[in-house]
Amino acid sequence: EGEVCADCHEKQPFAVGHPPYMTSTCGSCHANHARTPKLFAKDAKTVCGTCHPEQLSLSGGARFPHPPTKDEDCLSCHAGHGSAHKGLLTENQKELCATCHDTGELAKKTTREASEPVKLHAPVAEGNCSGCHDAHGSNIAGLVTRERADLCYSCHAQQKLSFAEGMAHDPVMKGSCDVRHTPHGSTGGGLRLK
């Protein structure tokens, strides 16, 4: 089927190619005589959901769906045929997320160090939003991929060991890292809130 498409559509090279495009199985997504935009066999979400049911489920069925995935189609963030970016994103993750989310606004300015420059949490500075968040949706507030303490300790395992060996105050024992720290950035050292 891809050979027929190739008569008019030259295949483009991509750093990250979508498997149906790369294997010329165009009919996985498109129908020659469809009356839909881009000749999709069905609407874009349904077509994408055929191979990506988990993401489709999160976009509409998660307790906290990410508005772009709920209200728009997959092509708002993903390229259909291929991309220069991991996950077939239309831009690198940092820039794509920044089209709606200002990392400076997500950082907290503490009272004591309000005039200090904001120090971003390493994943935020690196643009690795998906290190903590699921852009499609989550059953946990903030679109995080796991409960807060588990999420923090997935990178800060040494602190978890130190807390287990010594005396830890109540918020630490309850795994409430966010009582004292902010996850995106702060003007206070150690990502402190105050």
Side-chain angles (χ1 to χ4, degrees):
E1 76 191 75
E3 296 81 31
V4 174
C5 302
D7 287 346
C8 298
H9 304 281
E10 187 177 327
K11 190 178 276 189
Q12 301 296 313
F14 293 106
V16 180
H18 194 210
Y21 177 77
M22 299 309 290
T23 58
S24 297
T25 51
C26 308
S28 298
C29 304
H30 303 281
N32 287 341
H33 303 288
R35 293 180 179 223
T36 57
K38 300 186 182 192
L39 295 179
F40 280 126
K42 298 178 181 154
D43 67 276
K45 269 191 182 175
T46 303
V47 168
C48 297
T50 304
C51 295
H52 306 284
E54 184 179 332
Q55 287 82 358
L56 183 64
S57 172
L58 285 172
S59 71
R63 187 167 167 219
F64 301 98
H66 193 202
T69 64
K70 182 180 177 190
D71 303 332
E72 300 171 28
D73 71 34
C74 308
L75 298 175
S76 299
C77 297
H78 299 280
H81 293 146
S83 173
H85 310 288
K86 182 180 167 187
L88 294 174
L89 296 178
T90 56
E91 301 178 69
N92 74 48
Q93 190 177 109
K94 184 176 189 174
E95 291 171 4
L96 184 61
C97 295
T99 58
C100 296
H101 305 282
D102 181 340
T103 53
E105 292 297 316
L106 292 172
K108 304 290 184 209
K109 296 193 184 283
T110 61
T111 309
R112 285 185 284 180
E113 299 102 350
S115 62
E116 295 293 316
V118 169
K119 297 164 195 82
L120 296 175
H121 193 196
V124 176
E126 295 162 7
N128 182 18
C129 306
S130 62
C132 299
H133 301 279
D134 189 319
H136 298 99
S138 176
N139 288 320
I140 306 168
L143 302 178
V144 293
T145 56
R146 22 187 155 161
E147 293 297 336
R148 300 287 171 150
D150 292 337
L151 186 58
C152 297
Y153 289 142
S154 68
C155 292
H156 301 283
Q158 187 57 49
Q159 285 83 347
K160 184 177 183 178
L161 291 173
S162 297
F163 294 147
E165 292 171 358
M167 296 232 351
H169 63 292
D170 195 48
V172 172
M173 298 305 290
K174 291 179 180 174
S176 300
C177 309
D178 55 354
V179 167
R180 177 92 169 123
H181 304 280
T182 178
H184 295 109
S186 171
T187 53
L191 300 176
R192 285 192 323 271
L193 280 168
K194 298 177 182 170

